[in-house]
Amino acid sequence: MRWSIHQLHQLQHKGLTIDEMADVSELKEVDASIRDISPVHISGRADISAKKFTFHLTIEGTMKLPCSRTLVDVSYPFAIESTETFFLNDYDATDEESHIVQGEAIDLMPIVKELILLEIPMQVFSEQPDHPDAVPQSGKDWTVLSEEEYENKIDPRLAKLAKFFENKNES
């Protein structure tokens, strides 16, 4: 996923199509919430001109993340669409989303890794809450409630007050 500027200029009239598998397993060391990540499929094309290189990328893969409730591994598939533009000169760059070519080559792997890290959700929930490796959902004098159970449950300290207002409305 690295091309020299000279190689890209040679491909200017033919175009460049991208269809590669990339190993990004070192992301497990960068973010501890990633327990495992499959090789990602990177596909797309590049639009090449004299002063700018635009890459239209699709990044697909699967990562294993801990369930927010039970800490069980959850398989999280992702598909990222991105357009990355590289300019040879910094005065041609028009917005924050563009990159300036550093040196004599363009390397897309740091950008691919950053996009994958940004794709990690805040919370992931397992479809199997009763998994044997799951963290307990209840114990002595406590239990995990769903939102519906929590909203419908009346605080025992205020139960008599609720009955008081029911009596007022009836009269």
Side-chain angles (χ1 to χ4, degrees):
M1 299 289 302
R2 183 180 174 94
W3 300 272
S4 70
I5 303 301
H6 180 68
Q7 285 175 319
L8 290 172
H9 279 277
Q10 287 177 341
L11 295 170
Q12 184 171 357
H13 298 292
K14 284 196 300 186
L16 173 66
T17 57
I18 302 166
D19 188 16
E20 294 188 28
M21 295 296 286
D23 179 25
V24 291
S25 59
E26 62 269 8
L27 289 178
K28 294 186 290 188
E29 298 164 9
V30 175
D31 191 331
S33 66
I34 299 176
R35 293 184 174 169
D36 194 21
I37 187 163
S38 67
V40 295
H41 180 242
I42 304 166
S43 60
R45 64 181 171 80
D47 298 330
I48 303 167
S49 69
K51 294 183 179 182
K52 93 175 171 179
F53 310 99
T54 304
F55 294 88
H56 306 278
L57 303 173
T58 301
I59 306 162
E60 298 173 316
T62 303
M63 59 179 117
K64 291 202 185 291
L65 302 170
C67 172
S68 297
R69 233 181 255 133
T70 62
L71 300 178
V72 173
D73 284 352
V74 176
S75 205
Y76 181 77
F78 59 89
I80 306 166
E81 301 273 336
S82 180
T83 301
E84 303 295 330
T85 304
F86 290 84
F87 289 96
L88 290 176
N89 301 313
D90 58 349
Y91 57 85
D92 290 328
T94 56
D95 59 5
E96 295 175 2
E97 298 297 317
S98 57
H99 309 278
I100 309 299
V101 175
Q102 303 292 328
E104 293 296 318
I106 293 177
D107 187 9
L108 289 180
M109 283 312 294
I111 294 170
V112 168
K113 291 174 185 175
E114 180 180 337
L115 289 170
I116 293 170
L117 289 173
L118 290 172
E119 192 66 20
I120 298 172
M122 296 293 282
Q123 293 182 332
V124 176
F125 296 107
S126 173
E127 298 293 327
Q128 304 170 341
D130 298 331
H131 193 274
D133 295 333
V135 174
Q137 297 297 300
S138 63
K140 183 178 179 188
D141 299 329
W142 69 273
T143 186
V144 176
L145 298 175
S146 67
E147 281 188 44
E148 295 84 27
E149 292 171 331
Y150 179 75
E151 289 176 3
N152 295 333
K153 185 176 181 179
I154 297 175
D155 188 342
R157 298 170 293 180
L158 302 175
K160 290 185 180 180
L161 184 61
K163 290 178 184 174
F164 174 76
F165 284 115
E166 287 176 7
N167 293 339
K168 285 269 190 185
N169 292 336
E170 291 174 2
S171 38

